[in-house]
Amino acid sequence: MTHQHLQLLRNDLGLLPRYVAGRPPRASAGWKLSSNEIAVPPCDDVMLAARGALASANRYPDITATTLVQRLASHLTVDAEHIVVGGGSIAVLQELLQTVTDPGDRVVFAWRSYEAYPIVTRVSRATPVEVPLLADHRHDLAAMAEAVRRHGARVVIVCNPNNPTGTAVTRPELESFLEAVPTRCLVILDEAYREFVTDDAVPDGLELARDRPNVVVLRTFSKAHGLAGLRVGYAVAPSWLADGVRAVSLPFTVSSVAQAAAVAALEAWPKQREIVGEIVCRRDEFVAVLHARGVEATPSQANFVWLPWSPVVVALVEACSDLGISVRRFGKEGVRITIGEPEALAAISTALPLGAAR
Ligand SMILES: *Cc1c(COP(=O)(O)O)cnc(C)c1O
């Protein structure tokens, strides 16, 4: 790139971190436990619906995704006017920020949390304020509320359960946080992993959002519903905000194939929930195995586990690489392992005694 070309770029482009996607395994026969995906393909009904929609791929999709929005409304028992869908919940998050922030407005979130947050904040020309996690790898909600006040923040994002640590905040904690945050600050509850939550103390964001005018919930079809490749996510928001998001969003970001698949996925949810239940059992077993071998793993409410960095984890990462298993490493902070194929998790468990020999 010549100097002239660089002058064409926006000034703050260098500030944008790049999204690091989970890598595929090195060998094609390996396992990918690096992107928190569901390890099984969509069920026949979902495939059939998606294939059916292909037949009218010459036409633009339904711009308001009417059927999907209506089915979601009854699935979640909320009014359809509160729902906005988009090309993945990352896209909806960016649209939310573009709807509410002016240049330089502060957006508070925990760190380490979901790596898209600093990116979509900068893209929206807002300024990120990162609040370190507590020693137990959970959100420091008191410090986050304080940061909101100190910076007069426009938005605060709570990732519950948190990616990549799998930890969650409880209902009383979140309720007092919502009390402390002024209503002129929008609270975004990112519940990408809501369906994997088994601890009753972890609140359903939709219930908390119901009577609060400044709370919005983000959910996705990418994780529990197993449609990461089709890109569908949504927000449940107050209707004035949902309307604002529709004003800024790019038209047609949810393809007709994705809409049809998502509708079918909602119908198939009772069966899919069984798969989610198996993943949750496997998660708890895997954490128990790790603990039994003396490896620290945070208690997870999602479909992945977080192993804070340690000499044992260094050995574990090497063992995974030898086994053809890709996991997601975050520098020297820790490693996130998706609860994917049982064979892969068994292989890791078997390899552990070697890894644990410090
Ligand atoms: C995976 C994930 C998302 C979902 O992203 P999509 O764009 O819907 O695929 C959102 N938030 C968090 C925290 C995630 O981990």
Side-chain angles (χ1 to χ4, degrees):
M1 227 173 349
T2 66
H3 185 60
Q4 225 173 2
H5 287 131
L6 285 172
Q7 282 179 338
L8 285 172
L9 297 172
R10 55 189 270 184
N11 289 329
D12 62 352
L13 199 74
L15 293 175
L16 256 63
R18 296 298 166 100
Y19 193 97
V20 182
R23 273 193 309 222
R26 251 188 285 159
S28 58
W31 291 288
K32 186 179 176 210
L33 305 185
S34 54
S35 293
N36 297 345
E37 300 145 331
I38 294 271
V40 291
C43 68
D44 289 347
D45 290 349
V46 170
M47 299 255 227
L48 206 66
R51 248 184 249 127
L54 268 181
S56 46
N58 54 312
R59 302 290 179 190
Y60 278 103
D62 174 357
I63 191 164
T64 51
T66 322
T67 308
L68 175 56
V69 166
Q70 280 168 356
R71 299 295 169 83
L72 269 173
S74 69
H75 183 75
L76 305 167
T77 36
V78 298
D79 283 345
E81 61 176 4
H82 294 298
I83 299 173
V84 219
V85 298
S89 57
I90 305 178
V92 183
L93 174 60
Q94 183 168 306
E95 290 164 4
L96 274 167
L97 296 183
Q98 288 171 333
T99 306
V100 300
T101 59
D102 286 304
D105 275 347
R106 303 303 161 104
V107 176
V108 172
F109 48 83
W111 201 253
R112 166 81 54 189
S113 187
Y114 186 35
E115 63 183 317
Y117 298 158
I119 304 173
V120 294
T121 300
R122 294 272 184 204
V123 169
S124 311
R125 301 196 188 262
T127 304
V129 176
E130 300 179 349
V131 178
L133 296 172
L134 293 165
D136 65 1
H137 309 282
R138 301 190 318 133
H139 280 48
D140 188 344
L141 290 178
M144 289 174 75
E146 177 52 31
V148 165
R149 266 197 303 270
R150 197 169 54 245
H151 295 279
R154 187 68 71 94
V155 178
V156 58
I157 307 172
V158 176
C159 188
N160 201 37
N162 187 45
N163 178 7
T165 57
T167 49
V169 295
T170 64
R171 184 186 312 274
E173 289 168 340
L174 198 47
E175 278 175 346
S176 35
F177 171 78
L178 294 174
E179 285 297 306
V181 171
T183 46
R184 62 183 155 68
C185 175
L186 182 71
V187 181
I188 301 178
L189 301 178
D190 184 345
E191 296 191 331
Y193 301 96
R194 172 66 206 168
E195 295 87 349
F196 300 99
V197 169
T198 47
D199 182 350
D200 290 338
V202 181
D204 178 341
L206 291 177
E207 280 171 29
L208 293 175
R210 199 144 280 166
D211 307 313
R212 290 176 173 88
N214 62 325
V215 179
V216 41
V217 177
L218 277 179
R219 299 234 178 128
T220 181
F221 282 88
S222 297
K223 306 288 160 54
H225 288 286
L227 295 180
L230 287 181
R231 318 301 308 127
V232 197
Y234 57 96
V236 181
S239 37
W240 56 268
L241 180 57
D243 221 46
V245 172
R246 289 184 202 107
V248 308
S249 64
L250 281 170
F252 310 119
T253 53
V254 187
S255 73
S256 33
V257 173
Q259 289 185 30
V263 167
L266 284 179
E267 229 142 88
W269 176 242
K271 252 170 51 195
Q272 185 73 5
R273 190 159 48 187
E274 289 171 23
I275 295 174
V276 167
E278 285 161 21
I279 292 167
V280 160
C281 290
R282 221 177 290 149
R283 167 191 80 195
D284 296 344
E285 281 165 19
F286 188 59
V287 169
V289 168
L290 290 168
H291 287 171
R293 309 276 161 89
V295 182
E296 187 193 349
T298 54
S300 173
Q301 287 293 300
N303 67 335
F304 54 84
V305 296
W306 174 250
L307 281 54
W309 199 244
S310 71
V312 186
V313 171
V314 176
L316 185 75
V317 168
E318 271 169 34
C320 285
S321 169
D322 293 344
L323 290 163
I325 298 171
S326 77
V327 295
R328 181 76 158 84
R329 181 183 157 183
F330 292 82
K332 292 203 165 157
E333 289 170 66
V335 169
R336 190 192 67 195
I337 303 177
T338 304
I339 304 303
E341 291 86 341
E343 305 92 305
L345 296 170
I348 295 176
S349 301
T350 312
L352 264 175
L354 307 172
R358 286 155 233 218

